[in-house]
Amino acid sequence: MTLLLEQLLNGLQFGVMLFLLAAGLTLIFGIMGVINLAHGSLYMIGAYAAAIAAERTGSFLVAVPAGLAAAGLAGMAMEYLVIRRLYARDHLDQVLATFALILFFNQTVTLLFGRQPLFVSIPPALNGSIEILPELAYPVYRLAIIAVGLAVAVGLYLLINRTRIGMLVRAGATHRDMVRALGVDVRLLYTAVFGLGALLAGLAGLMAGPILAVQVGMGEQILIMTFVVVVIGGVGSIRGAFFGALIVGVVDTLLRAFLPGLLRQLTTGPEADALGAGLSSMGIYLLMAVVLLVRPKGLFIANA
Amino acid sequence: MRDTVTAQTGFAPPSAKPLLAAAAVIAALVLLPFVAQAAGSPATVALATRVLIYGIAAASLNLALGYGGLVSFGHAAFFGIGGYTVGILYQHYVADELILGLFTGSNQLLVTLPAAVVVSGLLASVIGALSLRTSGVQFIMITLAFAQMIFYLFASLTAYGAEDGLIVRRRNELFGLDTRNDTVFYFICLGVAAAFFALLSRIVRSRFGLVLVGLRQSERRMAAIGIAPYRYKLAAFVISGIGTGLAGALMANYLRFVSPDMLHWTKSGELMIMVILGGVGTLFGPLLGAAALVILETVLAAWTEHWQIILGPLLLAVVLFTRGGLQALLARLGGKP
């Protein structure tokens, strides 16, 4: 029982990380109609900047703004130099261009910091674990990630639903041309949304540093899962991204934790382990395929 | 504009030009091994073989993506399953065991290629039948989902090497030819590619091809004139999957190795890049794109370890400044409107 609860928390933690990425991706896609494959690169940039800053200064408090600033600036530069020219193009051109950006960013990072993964230590204030239930000690740092993720979700909800900018974002997602016709500076709005998405990706990256290896290619691994989240939740919907991310995070974590054990009871030997690993990785894709077949627009589509 | 020029000067009808160009390209491809031999660079033959194989795969993808507007992000599944068909048939041939207690293994190209065609065709019918119930971004993602499932399936099948893949110790045999010789294998691939492109050009010019283009432009309009979209799209998707599976079978023979790498989503991306780079919805554009990408990778990789830092911006420039890929760029340089 405690094991299940612990894995549920792990799933929740993975889920909020996915949400930070998926929120940006779904906004960028919903509002600007751009498929940004390089969103994972912003995550990587945030992780690297924070890791380097933490290594140089030894302070996580410096690393946080460093990661956010690097990802935000890289995102704005990306939008200004490349993405802006792609709004009117079809999705295929966007795929090729942002794929080219991935190659460029990955290789630049390799050139600057090498292929060796960087390891970041958990900030001392968040080190250790606390007993949240009798017999269940859980790392403070992971709890902190969950807290930050949920706080961002609430903040985004308020921003989107309660502010003027949020109103423009919502309007832009459903009636893009009408917003432009009403005299809103759409270019500025686009850059702001892109910057926000980049900030969130950077936040996810810098938080991932201490629990995952910071390495080239980390962005692409999580990018595909993020797309799964966006599609399951419904493209363009923040609410969908949130619930989609939690579903994917929990399902993926639970399958990885328990499926190999279940298979081992059915068959023995190394085949069971390999098959268990394979089948549990397959799980979320199966989930996505089923969701798309039953509800092609996603589970939580905003304007169905 | 061109019509008036043609009328005034009495040039041959435009259809003769591509035929001439195709003949020139085929002649160049036939002569290539001998020129490479004379120039003392046998590696060129291997490079050209890879270009041909990827060209077949990319052109197949283009039938769905460019002509039919079905943006599949899961064609690695067909590429890989074609390769695995060769690998699995070979493993059972060597071990002299039946596959699932039904089929015998084989190392004959005349058996393995048709087998790859059948297997990838079946897989494409299943994936296509389900995926085509969605469209747009959802279609992109569901094809990716199916390909990822196949990827993880083969990455966990220990009987077939799991993540390490299968080694095909000797290339498949064909009429007692020495297929281990790279030049011989190049000509085999060239033959397959020529037959494939001839068939493909017939397909895209047929009524079926025209319906496909019509569906891409407006599904409602086609439905209004009495065409059932689903069947045409499914047929296009299956043909596309078959071509890609065929290329995968050739690739497994070329590399004498097949692994889950062939099924990875980056392979789907790579094929897509080749199509976009060369020119979406053109017959030979994907071959051009495959050639450009494979050659660029090889040349840049020989030049610097960090070749992607150059390839990235190059690709970016192609997207931003050449609308319609290399095919369009060449056409414009050639003075066509």
Side-chain angles (χ1 to χ4, degrees):
Chain A
M1 192 59 209
T2 48
L3 183 63
L4 179 65
L5 200 63
E6 189 179 350
Q7 294 301 338
L8 274 176
L9 280 173
N10 281 343
L12 192 62
Q13 178 257 312
F14 186 41
V16 298
M17 297 277 286
L18 284 175
F19 167 68
L20 291 178
L21 284 158
L25 203 63
T26 206
L27 275 182
I28 291 167
F29 190 82
I31 295 173
M32 305 174 219
V34 171
I35 297 185
N36 182 19
L37 292 185
H39 204 65
S41 298
L42 297 170
Y43 167 80
M44 175 182 74
I45 289 170
Y48 263 93
I52 302 291
E55 195 186 61
R56 296 276 156 82
T57 65
S59 160
F60 200 65
L61 287 178
V62 181
V64 171
L68 289 178
L73 288 177
M76 305 267 249
M78 198 198 272
E79 199 271 350
Y80 188 76
L81 292 173
V82 179
I83 308 286
R84 182 165 283 195
R85 298 163 204 272
L86 297 171
Y87 292 140
R89 304 289 192 88
D90 66 320
H91 291 329
L92 285 175
D93 280 355
Q94 298 165 356
V95 166
L96 179 53
T98 50
F99 176 81
L101 285 177
I102 292 184
L103 292 184
F104 177 73
F105 280 123
N106 278 352
Q107 208 57 48
T108 308
V109 169
T110 311
L111 203 61
L112 291 177
F113 308 110
R115 288 184 205 283
Q116 287 296 324
L118 302 180
F119 292 97
V120 187
S121 49
I122 293 177
L126 298 173
N127 213 341
S129 44
I130 51 170
E131 210 165 312
I132 47 176
L133 276 180
E135 292 174 55
L136 175 58
Y138 198 74
V140 179
Y141 185 72
R142 284 174 186 263
L143 285 178
I145 292 182
I146 297 176
V148 170
L150 294 180
V152 168
V154 172
L156 267 183
Y157 176 82
L158 293 177
L159 179 76
I160 301 278
N161 288 305
R162 296 276 188 273
T163 66
R164 190 177 163 75
I165 290 185
M167 188 181 73
L168 291 178
V169 167
R170 271 179 295 142
T174 49
H175 302 96
R176 199 186 322 173
D177 296 326
M178 190 55 82
V179 174
R180 199 175 309 168
L182 287 172
V184 174
D185 187 350
V186 178
R187 279 188 147 194
L188 194 65
L189 181 69
Y190 284 4
T191 309
V193 169
F194 204 90
L196 177 67
L199 268 187
L200 294 177
L203 179 62
L206 73 90
M207 290 199 305
I211 48 176
L212 299 169
V214 176
Q215 58 188 336
V216 173
M218 65 189 287
E220 285 75 74
Q221 264 175 10
I222 204 159
L223 175 81
I224 289 289
M225 306 255 316
T226 311
F227 269 112
V228 171
V229 167
V230 169
V231 169
I232 285 182
V235 172
S237 157
I238 293 274
R239 202 165 62 99
F242 182 71
F243 290 110
L246 293 192
I247 293 172
V248 167
V250 169
V251 167
D252 191 59
T253 309
L254 290 188
L255 281 178
R256 274 174 211 281
F258 297 112
L259 192 67
L262 286 178
L263 275 180
R264 223 169 291 136
Q265 289 178 342
L266 295 175
T267 53
T268 48
E271 283 92 355
D273 287 339
L275 201 61
L279 291 181
S280 49
S281 308
M282 218 187 274
I284 56 161
Y285 298 102
L286 193 62
L287 178 71
M288 169 160 93
V290 171
V291 166
L292 283 179
L293 289 176
V294 180
R295 300 206 43 177
K297 294 279 178 204
L299 291 178
F300 300 93
I301 188 64
N303 53 329
Chain B
M1 192 65 196
R2 184 175 46 179
D3 287 345
T4 51
V5 171
T6 312
Q8 281 165 1
T9 54
F11 272 140
S15 62
K17 238 180 175 178
L19 271 181
L20 266 176
V25 169
I26 290 172
L29 286 174
V30 170
L31 289 175
L32 184 131
F34 306 107
V35 175
Q37 207 83 43
S41 123
T44 312
V45 178
L47 185 71
T49 311
R50 270 168 55 212
V51 168
L52 286 176
I53 295 174
Y54 276 123
I56 295 175
S60 304
L61 173 61
N62 187 40
L63 180 69
L65 185 153
Y67 288 95
L70 308 169
V71 184
S72 162
F73 200 5
H75 261 52
F78 311 124
F79 194 64
I81 209 85
Y84 265 100
T85 307
V86 170
I88 290 173
L89 283 171
Y90 186 79
Q91 176 173 326
H92 285 270
Y93 167 78
V94 170
D96 204 11
E97 291 166 344
L98 293 178
I99 301 169
L100 302 170
L102 291 172
F103 312 101
T104 52
S106 173
N107 72 334
Q108 295 296 320
L109 205 61
L110 284 180
V111 176
T112 57
L113 285 193
V117 162
V118 170
V119 173
S120 52
L122 285 175
L123 184 70
S125 354
V126 174
I127 293 182
L130 292 170
S131 303
L132 283 168
R133 296 171 56 165
T134 66
S135 61
V137 195
Q138 280 78 16
F139 182 80
I140 302 181
M141 297 315 292
I142 198 168
T143 46
L144 169 74
F146 282 117
Q148 287 292 89
M149 286 186 234
I150 306 283
F151 168 79
Y152 285 116
L153 178 69
F154 277 97
S156 63
L157 276 181
T158 29
Y160 297 121
E163 283 173 9
D164 298 330
L166 290 171
I167 291 176
V168 181
R169 196 164 293 282
R170 283 156 165 264
R171 281 184 189 147
N172 288 166
E173 292 173 1
L174 179 73
F175 305 134
L177 291 170
D178 179 19
T179 49
R180 291 173 73 183
N181 182 318
D182 276 344
T183 308
V184 171
F185 191 69
Y186 169 79
F187 277 113
I188 293 174
C189 289
L190 184 59
V192 174
F196 174 77
F197 275 98
L199 184 67
L200 197 63
S201 78
R202 290 292 297 270
I203 290 176
V204 298
R205 273 177 223 169
S206 67
R207 178 178 176 276
F208 172 77
L210 295 177
V211 168
L212 211 54
V213 173
L215 282 172
R216 186 192 65 210
Q217 288 170 356
S218 168
E219 207 170 311
R220 279 173 87 180
R221 214 176 293 161
M222 294 309 276
I225 60 172
I227 281 167
Y230 186 81
R231 266 181 269 159
Y232 283 90
K233 290 201 280 189
L234 184 57
F237 193 82
V238 171
I239 297 171
S240 170
I242 285 175
T244 312
L246 182 69
L250 287 175
M251 189 50 102
N253 269 298
Y254 167 75
L255 296 173
R256 289 182 288 135
F257 176 61
V258 50
S259 75
D261 268 357
M262 280 176 82
L263 292 159
H264 200 245
W265 69 270
T266 47
K267 193 59 81 183
S268 302
E270 221 173 287
L271 293 178
M272 211 190 243
I273 302 299
M274 287 172 186
V275 174
I276 307 170
L277 189 61
V280 176
T282 57
L283 188 58
F284 291 106
L287 185 59
L288 209 59
L293 198 66
V294 171
I295 292 171
L296 260 180
E297 274 181 15
T298 313
V299 171
L300 290 179
W303 188 36
T304 161
E305 181 198 352
H306 302 288
W307 53 276
Q308 291 184 338
I309 214 165
I310 304 165
L311 182 65
L314 263 179
L315 287 179
L316 205 54
V318 170
V319 189
L320 293 180
F321 305 117
T322 73
R323 286 175 177 246
L326 292 176
Q327 176 97 348
L329 187 70
L330 282 186
R332 232 174 292 150
L333 290 180
K336 282 193 224 163

